[in-house]
Amino acid sequence: MSPKSKEPFFARRLSRRRFMKHSVYTAAGVFVGSQGLSFAQGSQGGTITWMGHQEVAGLGPNDIGADVQASVIFNVLNPLIHVNHLTDTEMVLARSVTLSDDQLAYTFELEQGVLFHDGSEFTAEDVKYTYETYAEAGNTVASRFTGMREVEVVDKYTAVVHMDSINAAFLRQAGEVPIVPRAYHESVGVDGFRTAPIGTGAFQVESWSPASATVLSAFADHFRGAPLVDTIRLDVVPEASVRTIALLTGEADATVWPVSVEDNLDFMENPDFRVVITNWNSPRHIPLNTRLPQLSDKRVRQAMMFALDRQRIVDELEAGFGTVATSHLAPHNPYYTSDVKQYPYDPEQARAVLEEAGWTVGSDGIREKDGMRLSFTCTTISGDQTRRPMAELAQIFLREVGVEMLLAEAPVASILQGMREGTLEASLFNWTMGSTTDPNPAGTIGTGGGDNFTGFSNPEMDALIAEGLSVVDPEARKPIYERTQQLYAEEMPALLLHYNQGALVFSNELQGLPEEISNSLPIFYRMNEYSKG
Amino acid sequence: MSTYLTFRILKGFFVVVLISILTFVIMRLMPGDPVFLLLGDGQISITQEQIDAIRAKWGLDRPLIEQYFVWAGNLLRGDFGESLIRAGVPVRYMIAEAIPVTLTLNAFALALALVVALPMGIAAAVRRNSPIDYVTNVVSAFGIATPNFWLALMLIVIFALQLGWLPPFGLRTWQGYVLPVLVMATEEMAILMRITRGAILELLPQDFVRTARSKGMPDRRVLWRHVVSNALLPVVTVVGFRVAFILSGTIVVETVFALPGIGRLFVDSVLRLDYQVVQSLVVVFAVLVVVVNLLTDLVYALVDPRIRMS
């Protein structure tokens, strides 16, 4: 395969089966045409504009965690691999990757002749520098490199990542960290780079105004050919209704952050737009502080699951955009299983389980046990008009079986810290448990995990997590992760509500979008493939 | 005069120092840790070691007193520090980028409000209980009662969506200023209109006005020379007073129209616990309010000879 293949961008995908067998991943993969992509070669000019709701605070590797920022960054900087719009692994700057038999060394064969925006050539030295620099504590992406010891430069186009310990999630987590040019990055540092990045991406930064707009211009020497448009632009538009109007007036072509559910329904009937509906990576859920005495008994948590009419929450508050959650992983996650304990809406069953657990109805209708009321506070994000109503509806359902859920609001930073430290009792999230790059069970459901907001601690779960992370073969790991889901559904440290569906709106002016999409954010990573009609 | 000015400046400095301490304390009392916001809402696993390293990088691991004096010392040298969230970006750049947007909006809005409110307020007072008075009352009631969030969205629907004359958001062209200025001017216009009308109605029955008329001075001259000039005093007071509301008054408008102004920067920074930005913004505005209050008092002296300094 020629390094300068005529196959446009991301033509090469990583086969999980090959990965399973630790074989060399060839650059063969799936051609763009087979993914339903269509575009013409050569620039057709014009500007693609999309909108986000939050400012673009930075443009460096440490900033890829937020969706709006990621939608810009991955057009400027390229990683070695991507988890694409089909949730498959695709080669980007890597042509292939091989895993050693002992699963402790990843050999990356790199694309050749790739240029950074400053004209310097991308080599294995840049991979070594990027990985070792951003693996240092103090970087927000550092934990993606867990288990990495060093990067060896074998030759100009071959880098080997040596691991101290097996980390099954390494490839899909670390592989997505974008590569920076060593010489330039050394001269400006991590913070300097995020304000003026140089990458191998199809676009280079023309202007960056964090709170209003980021404009990128086409990089003609991009290794997969010049983009089809001259410029792309992200506008920061916090108000959802204004994003809707901007789409309708043609001011913007797409939005990376959803508009309101009601507007989605209108767009679905509008022939000028395409609405892409995908499941979010993690279900909406109410993490419970399991360290509290009233929430430490799994029967209480199970009873609350029976008490919640979750389908009604989907119907009334999500306009049907969602399905009742059964697992903490979303259905499009490769490790998902539906073979877990089910909790149909059954208030009588909820009452029976609570009675069995010794919680009897008190004089005010709230259950008590040993002088303790079955009461806790759910803190939602200040001003969150999407999740707050869900908490209010859940409050009503729980009250009907004698559980008191009080409501409070706080800034997101307070909630994250409070749940992490166990000073808050519950919240309402839809993140943390199901990254599409790879499930991160150690951090989210393992004992003492940094993002274990429920304080959940279960020896069997910890053993399964350790086992799962030591098995790189996805097929061999699947039964282990299926068992973690079964155990989670049995213990239910968080009340799983529903898999909400994100609906992103695209103008039909934007041409070349993939036909099939199961993971929506990566659509924005490939703006070079799209043209304006 | 110089003694008075020196006293006011010293007093203002003391106020600013107090405000800076209060802001620092309040921000640190807010529950939450900005480190967590950098982690993509929990999507990336993080260890305590990494959290400690990030906190150390920003100096958040030092004693609070030391943090305050380091920040205040830097501030006195004109160094506002760096944003925690936009790491690598000096706070002064962020403020310098946002202030022109907000000041431009406010300047245009105030100018528009004055141009419309003063003549209408005067006309309404002079022709009390006439159709123009009723119209003025209705317009000012509408301006005060209408939430600017709703008004902004309605104007966007009409002028951007239905008519297609103006952009729905942003400041890519001069047209982008039209709707936000209109929304901001509406409320100010309503307030100034009422104050002007009330002040003139209060002055018209005064003896000095009657005297001027009895001397044979034409009504128009009485109005402009004796009534309006005196009625300007409360208007100047309100205009000066409104400066303190620039920060809070533009938040909604900047959010709806997606304008990168100071109000949005402030709210975003508070929610993300971006300490350096919030503290610096509050100090900048404290200085602004102190200066404007001083200028307002000096303008009083120009407008009203009775309180002119000897």
Side-chain angles (χ1 to χ4, degrees):
Chain A
M1 180 69 61
S2 160
K4 279 284 194 183
S5 167
K6 289 293 183 188
E7 301 155 28
F9 49 76
F10 303 134
R12 307 168 182 85
R13 294 197 311 171
L14 181 63
S15 154
R16 285 209 306 276
R17 182 159 295 282
R18 289 183 175 189
F19 187 80
M20 245 171 19
K21 294 177 180 175
H22 310 163
S23 60
V24 174
Y25 300 111
T26 68
V30 179
F31 285 88
V32 169
S34 68
Q35 295 182 17
L37 305 174
S38 60
F39 57 90
Q41 290 289 333
S43 175
Q44 298 170 9
T47 299
I48 294 174
T49 303
W50 76 106
M51 298 172 290
H53 69 306
Q54 282 179 334
E55 72 168 33
V56 178
L59 296 166
N62 277 332
D63 302 299
I64 58 173
D67 286 5
V68 176
Q69 289 173 178
S71 74
V72 177
I73 292 167
F74 285 120
N75 285 291
V76 179
L77 313 175
N78 288 140
L80 294 186
I81 63 112
H82 252 320
V83 177
N84 71 5
H85 59 283
L86 299 172
T87 329
D88 289 327
T89 307
E90 279 189 1
M91 300 290 106
V92 185
L93 287 176
R95 296 175 65 193
S96 68
V97 55
T98 315
L99 182 62
S100 63
D101 288 340
D102 63 2
Q103 305 184 31
L104 288 170
Y106 293 86
T107 300
F108 290 95
E109 296 292 337
L110 306 177
E111 288 283 2
Q112 299 179 19
V114 177
L115 297 179
F116 286 105
H117 301 150
D118 62 0
S120 61
E121 189 186 5
F122 158 72
T123 68
E125 285 290 348
D126 300 306
V127 176
K128 175 181 173 63
Y129 175 79
T130 301
Y131 279 24
E132 292 182 352
T133 299
Y134 284 92
E136 289 174 7
N139 290 289
T140 54
V141 292
S143 56
R144 290 174 180 254
F145 297 97
T146 301
M148 187 183 86
R149 184 172 75 242
E150 62 169 351
V151 180
E152 177 193 355
V153 175
V154 176
D155 59 42
K156 200 174 176 184
Y157 303 113
T158 309
V160 181
V161 176
H162 294 284
M163 307 289 290
D164 272 330
S165 57
I166 297 172
N167 175 6
F170 179 83
L171 183 64
R172 280 161 72 105
Q173 290 193 338
E176 282 224 308
V177 174
I179 304 300
V180 302
R182 176 176 185 163
Y184 174 69
H185 194 283
E186 279 180 335
S187 67
V188 296
V190 170
D191 287 345
F193 187 83
R194 72 198 290 267
T195 65
I198 285 177
T200 57
F203 295 90
Q204 47 196 337
V205 179
E206 188 174 304
S207 68
W208 172 55
S209 177
S212 60
T214 304
V215 181
L216 310 179
S217 57
F219 178 49
D221 294 329
H222 182 51
F223 70 106
R224 282 175 176 160
L228 298 181
V229 292
D230 296 332
T231 314
I232 60 174
R233 173 187 178 101
L234 170 85
D235 278 315
V236 180
V237 184
E239 182 55 37
S241 54
V242 178
R243 290 200 296 278
T244 295
I245 291 172
L247 286 164
L248 291 169
T249 58
E251 198 83 11
D253 305 300
T255 175
V256 69
W257 198 252
V259 295
S260 72
V261 171
E262 295 77 13
D263 289 335
N264 280 335
L265 293 171
D266 290 340
F267 277 119
M268 288 172 76
E269 293 177 2
N270 189 330
D272 296 329
F273 294 90
R274 175 181 171 189
V275 179
V276 174
I277 298 171
T278 55
N279 282 318
W280 284 28
N281 298 335
S282 176
R284 292 203 198 276
H285 60 282
I286 300 176
L288 302 169
N289 184 345
T290 59
R291 291 158 287 207
L292 296 175
Q294 70 270 35
L295 298 174
S296 59
D297 186 341
K298 74 175 181 185
R299 290 173 296 179
V300 171
R301 304 192 295 262
Q302 290 174 339
M304 287 196 276
M305 285 296 290
F306 284 120
L308 294 172
D309 188 348
R310 297 175 290 161
Q311 186 60 51
R312 193 168 152 200
I313 293 176
V314 172
D315 292 342
E316 294 193 3
L317 300 176
E318 301 275 21
F321 285 98
T323 51
V324 169
T326 52
S327 161
H328 63 278
L329 297 183
H332 64 281
N333 190 295
Y335 300 104
Y336 167 81
T337 178
S338 59
D339 181 21
V340 296
K341 183 178 173 68
Q342 303 292 314
Y343 295 92
Y345 174 54
D346 188 348
E348 284 308 314
Q349 175 78 356
R351 292 187 188 98
V353 174
L354 287 169
E355 291 287 340
E356 180 195 328
W359 292 90
T360 54
V361 179
S363 56
D364 61 352
I366 303 302
R367 290 177 184 271
E368 296 173 347
K369 181 181 176 184
D370 302 331
M372 183 193 306
R373 296 175 84 244
L374 187 40
S375 172
F376 63 95
T377 300
C378 175
T379 307
T380 58
I381 298 169
S382 302
D384 185 343
Q385 294 305 312
T386 302
R387 280 168 285 216
R388 170 81 185 197
M390 291 169 195
E392 289 169 354
L393 201 45
Q395 181 186 43
I396 294 169
F397 294 138
L398 294 177
R399 182 70 177 76
E400 285 175 1
V401 299
V403 178
E404 182 180 57
M405 185 171 85
L406 303 171
L407 300 180
E409 292 192 6
V412 66
S414 308
I415 294 176
L416 290 170
Q417 187 183 22
M419 290 303 295
R420 189 172 190 275
E421 294 177 349
T423 54
L424 288 186
E425 298 177 340
S427 186
L428 209 165
F429 290 171
N430 57 279
W431 60 75
T432 74
M433 293 192 296
S435 161
T436 48
T437 52
D438 212 278
N440 177 28
T444 54
I445 56 179
T447 299
D451 302 324
N452 184 344
F453 294 108
T454 64
F456 177 62
S457 178
N458 182 292
E460 186 188 351
M461 184 69 87
D462 292 342
L464 286 166
I465 290 167
E467 188 184 353
L469 284 175
S470 67
V471 178
V472 178
D473 178 350
E475 291 302 319
R477 191 150 49 122
K478 198 165 192 301
I480 301 169
Y481 280 180
E482 285 176 353
R483 176 62 193 140
T484 65
Q485 292 167 75
Q486 289 161 350
L487 190 55
Y488 193 94
E490 174 68 26
E491 293 288 333
M492 208 48 86
L495 305 178
L496 300 179
L497 298 180
H498 55 276
Y499 306 115
N500 58 303
Q501 292 172 321
L504 297 184
V505 182
F506 297 86
S507 163
N508 286 342
E509 289 286 301
L510 193 59
Q511 295 181 353
L513 288 176
E515 290 296 324
E516 188 187 345
I517 298 167
S518 61
N519 182 22
S520 54
L521 184 59
I523 301 172
F524 292 89
Y525 301 169
R526 45 211 310 159
M527 287 292 189
N528 54 326
E529 301 174 12
Y530 312 142
S531 61
K532 288 290 287 286
Chain B
M1 183 71 174
S2 61
T3 311
Y4 172 77
L5 273 179
T6 309
F7 172 73
R8 288 293 301 267
I9 289 168
L10 283 174
K11 194 171 144 192
F13 181 76
F14 182 66
V15 167
V16 171
V17 170
L18 270 184
I19 287 174
S20 75
I21 294 171
L22 275 175
T23 311
F24 184 89
V25 171
I26 290 170
M27 284 305 292
R28 294 314 197 278
L29 284 177
M30 280 180 70
D33 189 330
V35 172
F36 291 98
L37 291 178
L38 291 175
L39 308 176
D41 292 347
Q43 287 177 28
I44 302 172
S45 175
I46 187 87
T47 64
Q48 190 59 46
E49 182 199 3
Q50 285 157 353
I51 290 172
D52 292 343
I54 294 172
R55 290 177 61 78
K57 180 179 166 185
W58 290 334
L60 296 173
D61 57 340
R62 296 182 196 165
L64 285 181
I65 299 253
E66 184 185 336
Q67 286 184 44
Y68 175 77
F69 280 111
V70 167
W71 169 69
N74 289 339
L75 199 64
L76 286 173
R77 289 195 298 272
D79 179 3
F80 289 33
E82 284 190 0
S83 163
L84 302 183
I85 304 300
R86 291 189 205 167
V89 179
V91 174
R92 68 172 183 279
Y93 286 176
M94 294 167 71
I95 295 177
E97 182 185 57
I99 274 189
V101 173
T102 303
L103 287 186
T104 307
L105 287 175
N106 276 280
F108 280 124
L110 182 62
L112 179 62
L114 285 171
V115 164
V116 176
L118 289 182
M120 283 191 77
I122 293 167
V126 171
R127 299 181 189 280
R128 193 178 181 188
N129 295 328
S130 69
I132 193 167
D133 188 23
Y134 297 142
V135 169
T136 303
N137 278 331
V138 169
V139 168
S140 64
F142 173 81
I144 290 169
T146 307
N148 51 9
F149 178 80
W150 179 84
L151 180 63
L153 286 178
M154 288 305 104
L155 290 177
I156 291 173
V157 168
I158 294 168
F159 291 101
L161 185 60
Q162 302 295 338
L163 300 173
W165 292 350
L166 296 166
F169 71 88
L171 296 173
R172 285 191 224 179
T173 61
W174 66 267
Q175 286 105 322
Y177 283 97
V178 174
L179 294 181
V181 164
L182 205 55
V183 173
M184 290 172 67
T186 301
E187 190 191 359
E188 288 191 38
M189 202 186 297
I191 293 169
L192 292 174
M193 216 181 270
R194 288 209 160 195
I195 286 168
T196 307
R197 178 180 177 274
I200 288 178
L201 281 177
E202 207 172 287
L203 290 169
L204 283 176
Q206 296 285 323
D207 289 344
F208 71 90
V209 177
R210 195 178 304 117
T211 306
R213 280 183 178 146
S214 64
K215 280 162 61 182
M217 192 180 282
D219 279 355
R220 186 176 293 269
R221 196 164 170 209
V222 173
L223 179 69
W224 289 106
R225 177 129 183 211
H226 296 286
V227 179
V228 172
S229 59
N230 282 295
L232 282 179
L233 208 57
V235 173
V236 170
T237 308
V238 169
V239 170
F241 183 66
R242 297 290 297 175
V243 171
F245 289 92
I246 286 179
L247 196 57
S248 59
T250 55
I251 289 168
V252 172
V253 170
E254 287 174 2
T255 301
V256 173
F257 290 103
L259 307 177
I262 215 82
R264 234 178 91 202
L265 178 64
F266 184 74
V267 171
D268 287 350
S269 301
V270 169
L271 292 177
R272 294 178 311 189
L273 303 179
D274 202 342
Y275 301 137
Q276 309 275 14
V277 180
V278 175
Q279 290 162 196
S280 301
L281 273 174
V282 171
V283 167
V284 166
F285 269 83
V287 170
L288 188 64
V289 170
V290 165
V291 169
V292 170
N293 277 345
L294 179 60
L295 289 177
T296 306
D297 288 349
L298 296 177
V299 171
Y300 279 168
L302 291 177
V303 175
D304 188 348
R306 290 172 301 180
I307 56 172
R308 191 166 295 166
M309 297 291 165
S310 60

